[in-house]
Amino acid sequence: MFGIEDPQIIIGYALAIGLGLFCLAYGYRNWNEGGEQDG
Amino acid sequence: MVDALTLGAFTALYVAVLFLLTYMAYRRTRKGEDFLLAGRKVHPAIIGLSYGSTFISTSAIVGFGGVAAQLGMGIIWLTVLCIGVGVLIAFIVYGKRTRRIGQRMGAVTLPDLLSKRYNSNFLQYGTSVIILASMPLYSSAVLIGGSRFIETTLGIDYYTALFGFALITALYVVFGGILAVMYTDAFQGGIMVFGMVAILVITYMVLGGVTTAHHDLTDMASLVPSGLASAGMNGWTAMPDLGSPIWFTLITTIVMGVGIGVLAQPQLVVRYMTAKDDRSLNRAIPIGGLFILLSTGVAFTVGALTNVYFFRNNGVIATSMVSGGNIDQIIPLYINTAMPDVVVILFMLTLLAAAMSTLSALFHSMGSAAGHDLWTHLGCSRLMPSRVRRERNGSCSLRANQAGTAVMIVVSVGLAFLMPGSIIARATAMFMGLSAAAFLPLFTLAIFSERPSLLAAKLSLVVGAGSWFLWTAFVHVKESEVLGISRALFGTDAVLGSPWTVVDPLVIALPASALALLLGLFLERRAAPA
């Protein structure tokens, strides 16, 4: 895939990009959460 | 080659913005707690960018980019851990609890938090001493990396660059405290993102597109130097053989050492405590996550692809292009030869930004450890004669923190004169490994247990730091042969044989520290009345 044959490298890239996108989704979903807790 | 006048003008503009931000921070820094935590109300975007740019230094871009050029794309697993552990677990699991507990107890530093949580001066002094003993190693490596880069790019004498670099960073940390550090971090983080994206796009354009570039790199597997091939390397787009010496170095020292070590680094932990509430941390996560992806992901990918560029243009792989096999020179060389002038300037500012943002955070953490955690607390302790002992009133002195920061900056500059070459990535991994082994188990217990055990914490700190040092000095050959303690005592660089000599100290010391913690919990439970 994209010129890379070793699945361990492909999985590494997929996870890195996937986790980056997860961070975006987490921030979007919890944008207004946690404002009142514990001051 | 970019002319020196243009480079100098952009550098001057960059420094002018830093001092403007420092002045803004200076006006808001009036007391010790401002210096350490900026009133616990920093904007989420600044927290995210500051966390990322502190975490990612020249070590990640130049040092680990050079490792990628040498060992290939397997280092992308470090990006996975940096985002998964260093951002998601760090902010969601550790960050929120740390912020709440820190705010409730009035803690301002990691040693302060541990001391108050366990009600123990031993932990305050013990953790401070470990920070003061180990962090200068990392700060000096960052200082060397930044100064070497200034030397080669601006043509300034190395020692002038070193002093100038340290002085500019020192001024804004000492006068502006954490707020100046975080404001400038955010500015520097923005430059880094812009610079790294430009480098990635241009690299793929120069190499004929994503698939062509990767395909050509895959086809270069037969060019792997025989020494690396026999140690397990299979090419630049393939992981090394499982259990081979290169696999151990890549996975245990670089990926795990840095990826796990990030959780308990004092300069990063303090950033959670600058947040006003959990919402600020939630909002910082996407910024931090994307920042890490764009900075490390780009550096590691471009680092490996430099082999294609140099092979097409010079007929040799990247490591053959640099003198003495110094992999720290590969990324700067690639940028200077392959990129247009405007990107060279942008990259120079990116590297300056990366080095300064990390360096300022380290100076600040060492200064708070020396000024607040040691000096201020020792001044009130019974260890001091009653004539000079001060009242313990819970406040922290702005002047003590500034003085502590200045002293530790001098120590870092002094150490930079003594450190050997090709040290950037290794010194980074060493500091992070020690942080994880010494602090992570007891920090975890402190924020997750309702009544954390002091005995368990003490055992974990001593066993974690002790076993890390023993493994570093007597087994892990890359460090033990430099230290020379093992050779002086036993006549050999490592007292154990292969494969132990390439197993990172973290892999031994972190489990040992965690086991010591569990033993302490068990002993305390047995001793407690039924």
Side-chain angles (χ1 to χ4, degrees), chain B residues 475-528:
Chain B
V475 181
H476 198 234
V477 75
K478 285 260 172 76
E479 283 93 35
S480 64
E481 69 180 4
V482 175
L483 291 172
I485 302 171
S486 179
R487 178 155 290 282
L489 292 178
F490 302 112
T492 174
D493 285 329
V495 294
L496 297 181
S498 181
W500 301 110
T501 51
V502 290
V503 174
D504 194 78
L506 172 81
V507 176
I508 304 299
L510 181 58
S513 178
L515 284 174
L517 189 94
L518 293 175
L519 177 67
L521 289 172
F522 174 73
L523 291 175
E524 191 156 287
R525 185 164 293 181
R526 274 191 62 179

Side-chain angles (χ1 to χ4, degrees), chain B residues 56-76:
Chain B
I56 304 305
S57 66
T58 37
S59 308
I61 297 171
V62 174
F64 293 129
V67 172
Q70 184 184 37
L71 302 181
M73 289 178 165
I75 198 173
I76 194 64

